[in-house]
């Protein structure tokens, strides 16, 4: 079959595309910027990458007419509450309009469980998207999931942060809310096995694991699986806003995402029983089994996708485009350095391993202070780290940077700053002709931007000199 996958660079999209390829399908990956798509897709005969922004009607003509099915995996969860509902509606309407003009026979939509009488704005929006996507021109298959447990998922990473950082937790009362977690492997099995199955045309199913657990139990069972003793006290007068700040400061999530999650965590997410497991011959795994599989991935350093690499974790939602890859030349402050290298390949390998647990090679304490200060003013700090310890790809989050370009062939790494700044900043590394070139570029915004640059200049001299020496001597 010829299948369109929207949200192809998202957490679910990155994982389902390889499965569809293995099954012999032709996959059309819809992305807002081609530079974010997996490099290996260009080497696959049955994969096509197209640039489509479902908020920009002019780009919809890039979708081929001869598709057989489509996955709707678009999610605007992290955008401001005042805007994300309208954005989700617009995306769904534009998607439906264009798909109805194709040969598509089935649309598969992954939503959230919406059985509680009082839903958060986020879950109400998910429900509304389902209503929009219903059509007489194609069949709609809807799967509704709650907490998804897997390496790199936002739920898993937040639980992991809380358990591994806090021996004692004074937590909000929503920790007593019940939910029904499901493993990412099971979600992907539901999504792939339903493809082309006419029994599931124009149907909606809740999908969930075999256990009903409170969020407190999720944390304690996670601690048990890691052989950690943890104590949790719930604090009933903690407001949603305080709860959001609590998640923001302790975990790697952004404040906007924390606020959305907190609003949803007050709602019980319990699925309705059905015959879907029997129909598709799926026996969902337990929470403990899901955790074991997740940690196998982490130990093997083979996390396929992470929520941190989506723009949900960014301070701003700038898409990767030539606007940012072409570093500006005028009206900017620059710090440019170059040194001879001992070995070009080793130097570039060290550049590609920069950040996260590996650190920035020089002035580690200063980097941590900068990350802490960024977090104090509402930025993302150094919490996101790296998805993989040794490999890096265009689009990855890297501490408080975003990877704009990871070009192994030309030995170039370009980063764009996502910390809070009075301006825009780039950090570039390049290895060529026996030298390593390091360039920091800052385009200030107003007087505040200029004052900022001169205030950090002494630290730049110390850090950037030390860093390039470490890289040159790799």
């Amino acid at each position: 079959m010829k299948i369109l996958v929207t949200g192809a660079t998202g957490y679910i999209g990155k994982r389902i595309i390889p499965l569809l390829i293995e099954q012999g399908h032709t996959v059309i990956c819809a992305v807002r910027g081609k530079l974010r798509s997996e490099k290996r897709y260009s080497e696959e005969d049955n994969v096509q990458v197209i640039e489509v922004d479902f908020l920009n009607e002019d780009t919809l003509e890039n979708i081929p007419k001869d598709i057989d099915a489509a996955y709707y995996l678009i999610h605007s969860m992290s955008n401001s509450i005042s805007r994300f509902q309208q954005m989700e509606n617009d995306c769904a309407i534009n998607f439906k309009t264009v798909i109805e003009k194709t040969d598509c026979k089935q649309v598969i939509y992954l939503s959230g469980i919406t059985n509680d009488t009082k839903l958060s704005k986020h879950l109400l929006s998910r429900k509304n998207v389902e209503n929009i996507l219903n059509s007489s021109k194609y069949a709609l298959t809807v799967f509704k999931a709650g907490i998804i447990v897997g390496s790199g998922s936002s739920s898993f990473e937040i639980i992991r942060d809380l358990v591994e950082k806090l021996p004692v937790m004074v937590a909000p009362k929503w920790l007593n809310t019940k939910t029904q977690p499901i493993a990412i492997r099971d979600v992907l099995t539901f999504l792939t096995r339903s493809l082309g199955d006419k029994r599931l045309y124009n149907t909606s199913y809740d999908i969930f694991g075999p256990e009903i657990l409170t969020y407190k139990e999720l944390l304690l069972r996670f601690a048990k699986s890691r052989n950690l003793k943890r104590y949790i006290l719930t604090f009933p007068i903690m407001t949603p806003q305080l709860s959001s700040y609590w998640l923001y400061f302790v975990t790697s999530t952004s404040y906007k995402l924390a606020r959305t999650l907190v609003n949803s965590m007050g709602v019980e997410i319990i699925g309705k029983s059905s015959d879907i497991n029997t129909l598709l011959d799926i026996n969902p795994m337990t929470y403990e089994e899901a955790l074991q599989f997740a940690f196998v991935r982490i130990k093997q350093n083979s996390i396929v996708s992470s929520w941190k690499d989506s723009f949900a974790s960014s301070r701003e939602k700038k898409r990767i485009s030539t606007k940012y890859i072409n570093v500006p030349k005028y009206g900017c402050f620059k710090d440019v350095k170059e040194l001879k290298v001992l070995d070009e390949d080793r130097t570039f390998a060290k550049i590609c391993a920069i950040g996260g647990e590996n650190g920035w090679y020089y002035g580690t304490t200063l980097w941590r202070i900068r990350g802490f200060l960024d977090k104090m003013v509402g930025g993302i700090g150094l919490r996101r780290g790296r998805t993989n310890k040794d490999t890096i790809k265009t689009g990855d989050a890297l501490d408080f940077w975003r990877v704009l370009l990871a070009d192994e062939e030309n030995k170039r790494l370009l980063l764009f700053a996502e910390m809070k700044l009075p301006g825009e900043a780039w950090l570039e590394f390049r290895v060529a002709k026996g030298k390593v070139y390091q360039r920091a570029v800052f385009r200030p915004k107003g007087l505040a931007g200029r004052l900022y640059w001169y205030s950090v200049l002494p630290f730049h001299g110390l850090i950037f000199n030390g860093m390039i020496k470490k890289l040159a001597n790799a």
Side-chain angles (χ1 to χ4, degrees), residues 39 348 352 392-394 403-414 429-431:
K39 185 179 178 181
F348 188 66
C352 290
I392 198 164
K393 296 180 292 186
T394 298
V403 181
L404 292 186
L405 188 67
D407 186 348
E408 187 176 349
E409 184 178 347
N410 295 304
K411 293 185 174 64
R412 183 187 177 208
L413 180 69
L414 179 62
F429 301 95
R430 187 166 53 89
V431 182

Side-chain angles (χ1 to χ4, degrees), residues 197-464:
D197 191 333
K198 293 183 179 180
R199 297 174 300 172
L200 305 185
Y201 281 11
N202 298 312
T203 59
S204 176
Y205 292 97
D206 292 349
I207 55 175
F208 44 84
E211 303 155 294
I212 297 176
L213 304 169
T214 64
Y215 288 104
K216 183 176 180 178
E217 288 173 321
L218 293 181
L219 292 167
L220 291 175
R221 289 199 185 187
F222 188 102
K224 185 179 178 181
S225 73
R226 304 297 290 159
N227 295 317
L228 297 170
K229 284 190 177 181
R230 293 295 181 259
Y231 304 93
I232 302 175
L233 304 172
T234 54
F235 197 50
I237 63 172
M238 218 168 176
T239 66
Q241 187 172 13
L242 283 174
S243 297
S244 302
Y245 280 118
W246 180 72
L247 273 185
Y248 168 68
F249 283 112
V250 176
T251 73
S252 56
T253 185
S254 65
Y255 176 72
K256 286 180 180 178
L257 184 55
R259 186 172 60 179
T260 305
L261 289 170
V262 166
N263 289 335
S264 296
M265 284 172 173
V267 179
E268 283 200 348
I269 302 177
I270 309 298
K272 285 183 180 178
S273 298
S274 68
D275 60 348
I276 188 61
N277 292 356
T278 304
L279 281 173
L280 297 182
D281 190 24
I282 300 172
N283 184 25
M285 63 182 70
T286 64
Y287 178 58
E288 279 81 4
E289 289 171 331
L291 291 177
Q292 288 171 11
F293 277 113
F295 277 103
V296 167
R297 285 285 189 183
I298 292 169
K299 287 176 183 177
Q300 293 174 344
N301 196 28
S302 58
I303 300 175
V304 179
S305 63
S306 172
W307 76 275
K308 297 176 186 178
D309 295 333
S310 73
F311 285 104
S313 69
S314 303
R315 181 173 65 89
E316 300 193 34
K317 307 298 178 291
K318 295 184 173 82
R319 72 182 180 124
I320 293 178
S321 66
T322 53
K323 175 182 176 182
Y324 296 100
I325 287 179
N326 294 325
V327 182
K329 297 180 180 179
Y330 305 105
C332 299
F333 294 111
K334 300 170 187 174
D335 186 307
V336 181
K337 292 177 171 48
E338 63 179 72
L339 274 181
K340 288 184 178 180
V341 300
L342 298 176
D343 186 301
E344 286 192 9
D345 292 333
R346 288 186 179 182
T347 290
F348 188 66
K350 193 159 188 174
I351 288 170
C352 290
I354 205 165
E357 293 179 9
N358 301 326
W360 290 79
Y361 306 141
Y362 191 85
T364 301
T365 301
L366 293 175
W367 281 101
R368 287 175 178 168
I369 292 172
R370 182 65 183 89
F372 176 77
L373 293 174
D374 186 55
K375 196 172 177 179
M376 289 298 101
V377 295
I380 53 184
L382 300 178
R383 298 167 296 168
R384 298 183 305 189
R386 297 173 57 103
T387 299
N388 289 294
K389 188 177 180 182
D390 303 312
T391 60
I392 198 164
K393 296 180 292 186
T394 298
D396 281 2
L398 179 58
D399 290 333
F400 44 38
W401 301 90
R402 176 72 58 178
V403 181
L404 292 186
L405 188 67
D407 186 348
E408 187 176 349
E409 184 178 347
N410 295 304
K411 293 185 174 64
R412 183 187 177 208
L413 180 69
L414 179 62
L415 309 177
F416 180 74
E418 290 187 331
M419 75 273 287
K420 280 206 166 187
L421 291 170
E424 295 174 319
W426 292 258
L427 182 59
E428 181 182 25
F429 301 95
R430 187 166 53 89
V431 182
K433 298 178 180 178
K435 289 186 176 182
V436 56
Y437 300 86
Q438 178 181 282
R439 181 169 64 137
V441 177
F442 180 69
R443 180 160 59 188
K445 186 177 181 180
L447 179 61
R450 286 159 175 79
L451 291 174
Y452 170 80
W453 174 262
Y454 287 115
S455 68
V456 298
L457 202 55
F459 302 104
H460 279 184
L462 179 66
I463 292 172
F464 289 151

Side-chain angles (χ1 to χ4, degrees), residues 47-155:
V47 177
Q48 181 185 350
V49 179
I50 59 173
E51 284 197 347
V52 177
D53 183 347
F54 285 95
L55 291 174
N56 182 354
E57 294 181 26
D58 294 337
T59 67
L60 302 183
E61 62 185 22
N62 294 333
I63 295 175
K65 300 290 189 292
D66 60 341
I67 59 172
D68 299 301
Y71 284 94
Y72 190 80
L73 304 173
I74 299 169
H75 203 355
S76 304
M77 180 177 177
S78 65
N79 289 288
S80 64
I81 291 175
S82 60
R83 292 186 60 221
F84 88 83
Q85 288 175 304
Q86 188 59 51
M87 290 174 68
E88 289 213 320
N89 286 1
D90 292 345
C91 279
I93 290 168
N94 289 337
F95 172 86
K96 177 180 177 179
T97 300
V98 69
I99 295 302
E100 286 184 335
K101 296 176 183 177
T102 69
D103 300 330
C104 182
K105 300 174 186 65
Q106 182 189 25
V107 169
I108 300 173
Y109 168 48
L110 180 62
S111 182
I113 292 176
T114 54
N115 297 326
D116 201 299
T117 53
K118 186 181 179 182
L119 297 175
S120 66
K121 289 183 178 180
H122 157 63
L123 289 173
L124 278 173
S125 181
R126 299 274 79 199
K127 192 173 183 178
N128 188 50
V129 166
E130 178 183 348
N131 295 332
I132 293 172
L133 293 179
N134 275 301
S135 173
S136 60
K137 300 289 182 68
Y138 57 76
L140 180 65
T141 302
V142 180
F143 290 112
K144 299 181 179 182
I147 296 291
I148 297 177
V149 182
S151 59
S153 76
S154 57
S155 305

